[in-house]
Amino acid sequence: MLSSFSVVYRHKPIRVSAAAIFFFGFSGAATSPYMSLIGIRELGLSDAVYSVLIFLAAVVNVSASVTAGIVADRLGHFRSPMILAAIFGIVGFGLVYVVPTPVMFAIATLVLIPVFGTINSLIFANIRAVSSGMAVRELMAVNSAVRAILSASWVLVPGIVGALLIGQPSMLPAFLLASLACVVCLLLFVFGLDRLPPVQEGERQHYSFFRSIRQIGSASVLPRLLAISLISAMLHANGTVLPLIVTGKAGGTPADVGVIVGIVAFLEIIFILFWGWVEARTSILFAMVTAALIYCSYLVFLGLADRPMDVYLLTIVAGLGAAGIIAIPITYLQNLIADRAGLGSSLIAVNIFLSGGMASLMFALGTSISDYAGTAIIASIAGAIGVGLLWLLDRTPQLKAES
């Protein structure tokens, strides 16, 4: 499994992309825990305004990711779009720190930071493009290793930032650190990625914007995207109900929530590499279904937990299932539009958006007919439906790993 990192290290464009995704994760991990705190408590936004702002930011992010993928495919390279996105991040996070007003916070949150967020899918698209001659098994291993690096930033950075800012009257300096992380991304893209020679007109196809959108909505892509989103929605649902169950029915404390989340995040890094090893030796379908069913079982047992120790014991199951749901869809979604690295990788952002929306519906339905424990079980059922749909669509393992 550790050989995945050796593959990443041997290829300079992949090595640079891996470093960039760590600092991309740094920016998010440094600021996400404090977004609502700064927006609502420090800058005075109402709960309703903040909720609308976050929803619209998600819409902007998915729209920008799809657009960036389409444009990058037309350009024939990803360096320029990533440089532009990094500049948006520098300005967005920097504005919040330098001019901490509700208007600037809204502009940064609604436009600048979501556009910077396109770097996530662009990096995986760039890896896909520069790995065109690589064996499928190696590509799966690379995607898993790079995703593990992204997860590592979310494990390490919140604690580091929290330690640096302890005792400070404001958490705004976190946005300065995020802006500096964006500067590192920019430098990596400018000096670490080669300037590719212009691609000859005959070497790439010029798809129109609306034809590209129709491709996402095609019968071969959309049902599979929805199936993956149902599975991924379990992660979002868990993020909502876990703290409520731990501090409610299970009788734990907020400190227990922090420890449990930290343990699962750490385990995810290890298990992401494990799933890369599994899917390379079986098939993407087998690995995806197995990981999803493991997570379904975790949510059921979470709903049945009635003491903190029960949830602690579930961390291994949670980490194992979550790691697969985090990492495996990257290659699967890219393969849905295999001939277009940018558009195929933009499905990563579309999946995040759709799964977040589905999780909100699950929470609304679950809390209207049951309690938080019942909501966890309902999310498990929805995930199982996604597994069933995926199995029906791909039961002939067309996406089987090849050596």
Side-chain angles (χ1 to χ4, degrees), residues 124 128 136-144 276 279 284 326-338 344-345 348 399 401:
F124 282 105
R128 177 85 176 198
V136 174
R137 287 184 178 181
E138 279 196 325
L139 177 59
M140 291 176 181
V142 165
N143 278 339
S144 295
E279 67 176 320
I284 297 179
I326 288 170
I328 299 168
I330 294 172
T331 306
Y332 182 90
L333 293 170
Q334 288 178 324
N335 284 348
L336 292 181
I337 311 178
S345 297
I348 299 170
L399 300 176

Short mmCIF file of all heavy atoms in Angstrom, two decimals, residues 124 128 136-144 276 279 284 326-338 344-345 348 399 401:
data_model
loop_
_atom_site.label_atom_id
_atom_site.label_comp_id
_atom_site.label_asym_id
_atom_site.label_seq_id
_atom_site.Cartn_x
_atom_site.Cartn_y
_atom_site.Cartn_z
N PHE A 124 -7.22 16.57 -9.51
CA PHE A 124 -7.45 15.18 -9.90
C PHE A 124 -7.55 15.04 -11.41
O PHE A 124 -7.14 14.02 -11.97
CB PHE A 124 -8.71 14.63 -9.21
CG PHE A 124 -8.48 14.28 -7.77
CD1 PHE A 124 -8.97 15.07 -6.76
CD2 PHE A 124 -7.75 13.14 -7.43
CE1 PHE A 124 -8.75 14.76 -5.42
CE2 PHE A 124 -7.52 12.82 -6.10
CZ PHE A 124 -8.02 13.62 -5.09
N ARG A 128 -5.09 12.81 -13.72
CA ARG A 128 -5.65 11.89 -14.74
C ARG A 128 -4.98 12.13 -16.08
O ARG A 128 -4.62 11.18 -16.80
CB ARG A 128 -7.16 12.11 -14.85
CG ARG A 128 -7.86 11.30 -15.92
CD ARG A 128 -8.22 9.94 -15.40
NE ARG A 128 -8.99 9.18 -16.38
CZ ARG A 128 -9.72 8.12 -16.07
NH1 ARG A 128 -9.77 7.70 -14.81
NH2 ARG A 128 -10.38 7.46 -16.99
N VAL A 136 -4.05 1.10 -15.08
CA VAL A 136 -5.23 1.48 -14.30
C VAL A 136 -4.99 1.26 -12.81
O VAL A 136 -5.39 2.06 -11.97
CB VAL A 136 -6.47 0.70 -14.79
CG1 VAL A 136 -7.67 0.98 -13.90
CG2 VAL A 136 -6.78 1.06 -16.24
N ARG A 137 -4.33 0.15 -12.48
CA ARG A 137 -4.07 -0.12 -11.06
C ARG A 137 -3.21 0.97 -10.44
O ARG A 137 -3.42 1.36 -9.29
CB ARG A 137 -3.37 -1.48 -10.91
CG ARG A 137 -4.30 -2.67 -11.16
CD ARG A 137 -3.59 -3.97 -10.90
NE ARG A 137 -4.48 -5.11 -11.09
CZ ARG A 137 -4.13 -6.37 -10.91
NH1 ARG A 137 -2.89 -6.66 -10.55
NH2 ARG A 137 -5.00 -7.34 -11.09
N GLU A 138 -2.22 1.45 -11.18
CA GLU A 138 -1.36 2.51 -10.67
C GLU A 138 -2.14 3.80 -10.50
O GLU A 138 -1.96 4.52 -9.52
CB GLU A 138 -0.16 2.73 -11.59
CG GLU A 138 0.97 1.74 -11.41
CD GLU A 138 2.26 2.23 -12.04
OE1 GLU A 138 2.17 2.90 -13.10
OE2 GLU A 138 3.34 1.97 -11.50
N LEU A 139 -3.02 4.10 -11.46
CA LEU A 139 -3.84 5.31 -11.36
C LEU A 139 -4.73 5.26 -10.13
O LEU A 139 -4.88 6.26 -9.41
CB LEU A 139 -4.69 5.48 -12.63
CG LEU A 139 -5.64 6.68 -12.64
CD1 LEU A 139 -4.86 7.98 -12.47
CD2 LEU A 139 -6.46 6.71 -13.93
N MET A 140 -5.33 4.11 -9.85
CA MET A 140 -6.16 3.96 -8.65
C MET A 140 -5.32 4.20 -7.40
O MET A 140 -5.75 4.89 -6.46
CB MET A 140 -6.76 2.55 -8.60
CG MET A 140 -7.80 2.27 -9.66
SD MET A 140 -8.34 0.54 -9.56
CE MET A 140 -9.51 0.47 -10.91
N ALA A 141 -4.11 3.65 -7.39
CA ALA A 141 -3.23 3.81 -6.24
C ALA A 141 -2.85 5.28 -6.06
O ALA A 141 -2.80 5.78 -4.93
CB ALA A 141 -1.98 2.95 -6.40
N VAL A 142 -2.59 5.96 -7.16
CA VAL A 142 -2.22 7.38 -7.10
C VAL A 142 -3.38 8.21 -6.55
O VAL A 142 -3.20 9.05 -5.66
CB VAL A 142 -1.80 7.89 -8.49
CG1 VAL A 142 -1.76 9.42 -8.52
CG2 VAL A 142 -0.43 7.34 -8.86
N ASN A 143 -4.59 7.98 -7.07
CA ASN A 143 -5.76 8.71 -6.59
C ASN A 143 -5.96 8.49 -5.09
O ASN A 143 -6.28 9.43 -4.35
CB ASN A 143 -7.02 8.29 -7.35
CG ASN A 143 -7.15 8.98 -8.69
OD1 ASN A 143 -6.56 10.04 -8.92
ND2 ASN A 143 -7.93 8.41 -9.58
N SER A 144 -5.77 7.25 -4.65
CA SER A 144 -5.94 6.95 -3.23
C SER A 144 -4.88 7.66 -2.39
O SER A 144 -5.18 8.22 -1.33
CB SER A 144 -5.85 5.44 -2.99
OG SER A 144 -6.92 4.77 -3.62
N GLY A 276 -7.43 1.55 -1.93
CA GLY A 276 -6.72 1.64 -3.21
C GLY A 276 -6.12 0.30 -3.58
O GLY A 276 -6.13 -0.11 -4.74
N GLU A 279 -9.24 -2.11 -4.57
CA GLU A 279 -9.87 -1.88 -5.87
C GLU A 279 -8.93 -2.21 -7.02
O GLU A 279 -9.37 -2.60 -8.11
CB GLU A 279 -10.40 -0.46 -5.99
CG GLU A 279 -9.35 0.62 -6.02
CD GLU A 279 -9.96 2.00 -6.22
OE1 GLU A 279 -10.90 2.14 -7.02
OE2 GLU A 279 -9.48 2.95 -5.57
N ILE A 284 -13.58 -1.70 -9.13
CA ILE A 284 -14.11 -0.51 -8.47
C ILE A 284 -15.49 -0.80 -7.91
O ILE A 284 -15.83 -0.36 -6.80
CB ILE A 284 -14.16 0.67 -9.46
CG1 ILE A 284 -12.75 1.04 -9.93
CG2 ILE A 284 -14.82 1.88 -8.83
CD1 ILE A 284 -12.69 2.17 -10.92
N ILE A 326 -14.92 7.89 0.53
CA ILE A 326 -14.17 9.10 0.21
C ILE A 326 -13.30 8.91 -1.03
O ILE A 326 -13.26 9.77 -1.92
CB ILE A 326 -13.29 9.52 1.40
CG1 ILE A 326 -14.16 10.07 2.54
CG2 ILE A 326 -12.25 10.56 0.98
CD1 ILE A 326 -13.40 10.27 3.82
N ALA A 327 -12.61 7.78 -1.11
CA ALA A 327 -11.56 7.62 -2.13
C ALA A 327 -12.03 6.95 -3.42
O ALA A 327 -11.65 7.37 -4.51
CB ALA A 327 -10.39 6.83 -1.53
N ILE A 328 -12.81 5.89 -3.30
CA ILE A 328 -13.14 5.07 -4.48
C ILE A 328 -13.91 5.84 -5.54
O ILE A 328 -13.64 5.68 -6.74
CB ILE A 328 -13.89 3.79 -4.06
CG1 ILE A 328 -13.00 2.95 -3.13
CG2 ILE A 328 -14.29 2.97 -5.27
CD1 ILE A 328 -13.73 1.82 -2.43
N PRO A 329 -14.90 6.70 -5.18
CA PRO A 329 -15.65 7.39 -6.23
C PRO A 329 -14.82 8.28 -7.14
O PRO A 329 -15.27 8.63 -8.23
CB PRO A 329 -16.67 8.22 -5.42
CG PRO A 329 -16.86 7.47 -4.16
CD PRO A 329 -15.48 6.93 -3.85
N ILE A 330 -13.62 8.68 -6.71
CA ILE A 330 -12.81 9.57 -7.55
C ILE A 330 -12.55 8.93 -8.91
O ILE A 330 -12.85 9.50 -9.97
CB ILE A 330 -11.48 9.92 -6.85
CG1 ILE A 330 -11.74 10.75 -5.60
CG2 ILE A 330 -10.55 10.67 -7.82
CD1 ILE A 330 -10.50 10.97 -4.75
N THR A 331 -11.98 7.72 -8.90
CA THR A 331 -11.70 7.03 -10.16
C THR A 331 -12.98 6.63 -10.87
O THR A 331 -13.07 6.72 -12.10
CB THR A 331 -10.84 5.79 -9.89
OG1 THR A 331 -9.67 6.16 -9.16
CG2 THR A 331 -10.40 5.13 -11.20
N TYR A 332 -13.97 6.19 -10.09
CA TYR A 332 -15.25 5.77 -10.70
C TYR A 332 -15.88 6.93 -11.48
O TYR A 332 -16.29 6.76 -12.64
CB TYR A 332 -16.21 5.28 -9.61
CG TYR A 332 -17.53 4.78 -10.16
CD1 TYR A 332 -17.69 3.44 -10.50
CD2 TYR A 332 -18.61 5.64 -10.33
CE1 TYR A 332 -18.89 2.98 -11.02
CE2 TYR A 332 -19.81 5.19 -10.85
CZ TYR A 332 -19.95 3.87 -11.19
OH TYR A 332 -21.14 3.42 -11.71
N LEU A 333 -15.97 8.10 -10.86
CA LEU A 333 -16.59 9.24 -11.52
C LEU A 333 -15.78 9.70 -12.72
O LEU A 333 -16.34 10.07 -13.76
CB LEU A 333 -16.75 10.38 -10.52
CG LEU A 333 -17.77 10.12 -9.38
CD1 LEU A 333 -17.67 11.21 -8.32
CD2 LEU A 333 -19.18 10.02 -9.92
N GLN A 334 -14.45 9.69 -12.60
CA GLN A 334 -13.61 10.06 -13.74
C GLN A 334 -13.86 9.12 -14.92
O GLN A 334 -13.86 9.54 -16.08
CB GLN A 334 -12.14 10.03 -13.35
CG GLN A 334 -11.71 11.17 -12.45
CD GLN A 334 -10.26 11.07 -12.04
OE1 GLN A 334 -9.74 9.98 -11.82
NE2 GLN A 334 -9.60 12.21 -11.92
N ASN A 335 -14.06 7.84 -14.63
CA ASN A 335 -14.27 6.86 -15.69
C ASN A 335 -15.62 7.00 -16.38
O ASN A 335 -15.81 6.47 -17.48
CB ASN A 335 -14.15 5.44 -15.12
CG ASN A 335 -12.71 5.04 -14.86
OD1 ASN A 335 -11.78 5.71 -15.29
ND2 ASN A 335 -12.52 3.95 -14.15
N LEU A 336 -16.56 7.70 -15.74
CA LEU A 336 -17.86 7.89 -16.38
C LEU A 336 -17.75 8.74 -17.65
O LEU A 336 -18.54 8.60 -18.57
CB LEU A 336 -18.84 8.54 -15.40
CG LEU A 336 -19.27 7.68 -14.20
CD1 LEU A 336 -20.27 8.43 -13.34
CD2 LEU A 336 -19.87 6.35 -14.67
N ILE A 337 -16.78 9.67 -17.66
CA ILE A 337 -16.49 10.45 -18.87
C ILE A 337 -14.98 10.34 -19.07
O ILE A 337 -14.22 11.31 -18.90
CB ILE A 337 -16.94 11.92 -18.72
CG1 ILE A 337 -18.38 11.99 -18.20
CG2 ILE A 337 -16.85 12.65 -20.06
CD1 ILE A 337 -18.90 13.40 -17.99
N ALA A 338 -14.56 9.15 -19.41
CA ALA A 338 -13.13 8.81 -19.39
C ALA A 338 -12.30 9.59 -20.40
O ALA A 338 -11.11 9.82 -20.18
CB ALA A 338 -12.97 7.31 -19.65
N GLY A 344 -14.86 14.91 -16.54
CA GLY A 344 -15.03 13.73 -15.70
C GLY A 344 -14.68 14.02 -14.25
O GLY A 344 -15.39 13.60 -13.33
N SER A 345 -13.62 14.77 -14.02
CA SER A 345 -13.21 15.09 -12.66
C SER A 345 -14.13 16.11 -12.00
O SER A 345 -14.24 16.16 -10.77
CB SER A 345 -11.77 15.62 -12.65
OG SER A 345 -10.87 14.62 -13.11
N ILE A 348 -16.68 15.05 -9.41
CA ILE A 348 -16.34 14.97 -7.98
C ILE A 348 -17.06 16.08 -7.23
O ILE A 348 -17.67 15.86 -6.18
CB ILE A 348 -14.82 15.07 -7.78
CG1 ILE A 348 -14.10 13.91 -8.48
CG2 ILE A 348 -14.48 15.11 -6.29
CD1 ILE A 348 -12.59 14.07 -8.54
N LEU A 399 -16.05 -1.50 -15.00
CA LEU A 399 -14.98 -0.65 -14.51
C LEU A 399 -13.93 -1.44 -13.77
O LEU A 399 -13.21 -0.96 -12.94
CB LEU A 399 -15.56 0.44 -13.58
CG LEU A 399 -16.58 1.35 -14.23
CD1 LEU A 399 -17.15 2.30 -13.19
CD2 LEU A 399 -15.98 2.13 -15.37
N ALA A 401 -10.68 -3.24 -12.55
CA ALA A 401 -9.27 -2.80 -12.65
C ALA A 401 -8.52 -3.67 -13.64
O ALA A 401 -8.73 -4.86 -13.73
CB ALA A 401 -8.64 -2.88 -11.26
#
